[in-house]
Amino acid sequence: MAARDLVQVPRSAAVLAAEPGSGRPPDPSALAGRLSTLIGGPQAKINAVVIDAETRRQLYELRAGQPATPASTTKLATSVAALASVGPAHRIATRVVRGAGGRIVLVGGGDPTLTALPPRPGAGHPPYASLTDLARQTATALKASGTSQVRVDYDASAYQGPRTAAGWKPNYLPDGEVAPVSALTVDEGRVSPSDPSKKTRVADPPATAAREFARLLSQNGVSAKAGRQTVAQKEAEPLGVVQSPPLSALVEHLLTDSDNDVAEAVARQVAIKTGRPATFAEAAQAVRQVLAGLGVAEGVSVNDGSGLSPLNRISPIALARIVSLAAGGDHPDLRPVITGLPIAGFSGTLSPPRYTVAASQAGAGMVRAKTGTLSGVSTLAGLAHDADGRLLAFAFMAGDGKGPVDPGKLDQLAAAVAGCGCG
């Protein structure tokens, strides 16, 4: 992710998506007429729902309560749970402490933005945690104590369990869809982080991070070599620390750009906050536990935080309720979910060519939604003000994983919601 930016959303768009609107809700029969024509009848492989975002009254449904594969719309559940439990101001720390016998320990806290790349002026995001800065801090502390040579051990014990989730396909890692999930990763484990066209990831992110840190220490006047995996002592002397951007910025980015690495890191933070082991399974349970406390867990069953697992199941009504909750005024800490949603035809995964053709152009700038794509599956869940000014939440989930799907059809459906003057 170091080669990409945490998105800055236009203020006008944020206001548009957050206000409930003063118009009347659309007439359900009129809305159904518009959507049914596009869907093509009850035999179509689409589950769908539209609700009033303020009252959560159901205005249209087609198998709305039937769970389907959510793909990356899973990130909506992850993000709401993280903001509600961990909080929007939380930052993830990466530390260096003294070890035994002339060793130091690089301790990962699960920060997905930790980078060894130089800062980019005008990048438009809060500063990333810098491994270079951490090396400078550490070198200064070591020199002050008369230490000029060290071994760099590493501690990735903040996460436990396997580095891939149930259902993940074997090609995800070699294709660079995600790195092996670890509490210590630099530049999202990319082999060539300065070249965004190259997605290949390293096989062992923590060991790679230790080697890179040793190199940076040596550049700062302390001779260093990478050591072994260990667990740092809690009372160990601190030598340096850097912190991630706030969780609010991480959530905006993972939703806008559908960043799988950040989503998995954020899900782990929910597990840690709720006192669970930071594994895939426990993070999924922690997310559902927090959603249950918010009253929006029904219809949600997941195995990861990103939505890469085709075993995940979420119903359309669950997605629409989650979005409505984030858009409402009762939970202001959830607002980064709304400001992070891609804007149709303008930003993130809804950038052109989406919403630039005649069939969906009415939704451009009026729809904010999270996309989801897996083999044979396409999903879209978000918000739209209709033509009467009423804020509506929707979820459209197409495909059964067995045949081709057209995300353009979902764009047309969302555009029809936005264009409905059906009050």
Side-chain angles (χ1 to χ4, degrees):
M1 188 187 65
R4 289 172 279 169
D5 293 340
L6 295 181
V7 70
Q8 296 294 310
V9 178
R11 288 183 179 273
S12 59
V15 172
L16 173 68
E19 297 298 330
S22 56
R24 293 180 301 169
D27 176 75
S29 61
L31 181 61
R34 285 173 169 256
L35 297 180
S36 296
T37 299
L38 290 170
I39 287 173
Q43 300 306 311
K45 294 179 180 178
I46 294 181
N47 298 359
V49 72
V50 180
I51 66 175
D52 183 87
E54 185 174 17
T55 66
R56 299 194 201 173
R57 176 190 169 213
Q58 198 162 282
L59 302 170
Y60 175 80
E61 74 90 23
L62 180 64
R63 297 179 286 273
Q66 182 173 314
T69 304
S72 277
T73 53
T74 300
K75 293 180 174 75
L76 291 167
T78 302
S79 298
V80 164
L83 290 166
S85 59
V86 183
H90 177 71
R91 296 174 185 265
I92 306 168
T94 305
R95 302 178 293 120
V96 178
V97 300
R98 280 199 187 272
R103 295 174 178 268
I104 62 173
V105 185
L106 176 62
V107 184
D111 177 11
T113 71
L114 183 65
T115 180
L117 293 176
R120 294 175 56 199
H125 59 70
Y128 293 150
S130 168
L131 194 69
T132 303
D133 181 31
L134 187 58
R136 289 195 197 102
Q137 293 180 37
T138 304
T140 298
L142 290 171
K143 290 174 186 176
S145 67
T147 302
S148 60
Q149 185 172 337
V150 293
R151 286 272 183 178
V152 179
D153 292 342
Y154 56 95
D155 180 352
S157 63
Y159 291 0
Q160 296 90 49
R163 292 182 178 178
T164 58
W168 279 14
K169 296 183 178 180
N171 66 295
Y172 286 167
L173 297 184
D175 288 354
E177 293 293 335
V178 67
V181 177
S182 167
L184 178 59
T185 305
V186 177
D187 291 312
E188 290 190 337
R190 296 178 186 277
V191 172
S192 303
S194 60
D195 185 349
S197 69
K198 296 180 180 178
K199 295 185 177 182
T200 307
R201 311 301 182 97
V202 300
D204 190 346
T208 302
R211 287 194 296 270
E212 179 66 11
F213 188 70
R215 184 185 68 82
L216 292 169
L217 268 182
S218 297
Q219 286 184 354
N220 281 273
V222 175
S223 178
K225 291 184 178 180
R228 60 178 183 261
Q229 184 170 340
T230 188
V231 177
Q233 297 297 312
K234 290 185 178 180
E235 66 277 8
E237 176 191 347
L239 298 172
V241 63
V242 291
Q243 294 186 317
S244 74
L247 184 69
S248 57
L250 298 182
V251 164
E252 286 185 335
H253 168 73
L254 77 86
L255 290 172
T256 299
D257 288 345
S258 204
D259 191 301
N260 297 317
D261 299 275
V262 177
E264 296 301 346
V266 166
R268 290 298 205 288
Q269 295 300 308
V270 182
I272 293 168
K273 181 66 176 181
T274 56
R276 294 172 177 266
T279 65
F280 278 105
E282 293 291 339
Q285 289 301 312
V287 165
R288 199 174 190 285
Q289 175 187 330
V290 175
L291 294 180
L294 295 168
V296 290
E298 183 179 355
V300 177
S301 176
V302 297
N303 295 278
D304 64 14
S306 62
L308 283 173
S309 176
L311 302 178
N312 292 351
R313 294 292 182 270
I314 303 180
S315 66
I317 189 62
L319 289 171
R321 287 170 177 163
I322 287 170
V323 171
S324 295
L325 183 76
D330 293 339
H331 298 278
D333 283 357
L334 303 183
R335 190 52 48 85
V337 171
I338 304 306
T339 54
L341 289 176
I343 304 169
F346 289 93
S347 67
T349 55
L350 289 183
S351 294
R354 296 188 75 160
Y355 291 90
T356 59
V357 300
S360 60
Q361 205 164 16
M366 304 306 295
V367 169
R368 298 193 70 138
K370 180 71 197 78
T371 57
T373 304
L374 288 174
S375 178
V377 171
S378 185
T379 59
L380 190 70
L383 296 166
H385 274 112
D386 71 6
D388 293 325
R390 191 72 181 184
L391 186 63
L392 308 177
F394 62 83
F396 303 116
M397 310 180 76
D400 57 7
K402 298 177 182 178
V405 289
D406 177 16
K409 174 63 71 73
L410 306 188
D411 293 347
Q412 292 177 39
L413 292 168
V417 173
C420 187
C422 310

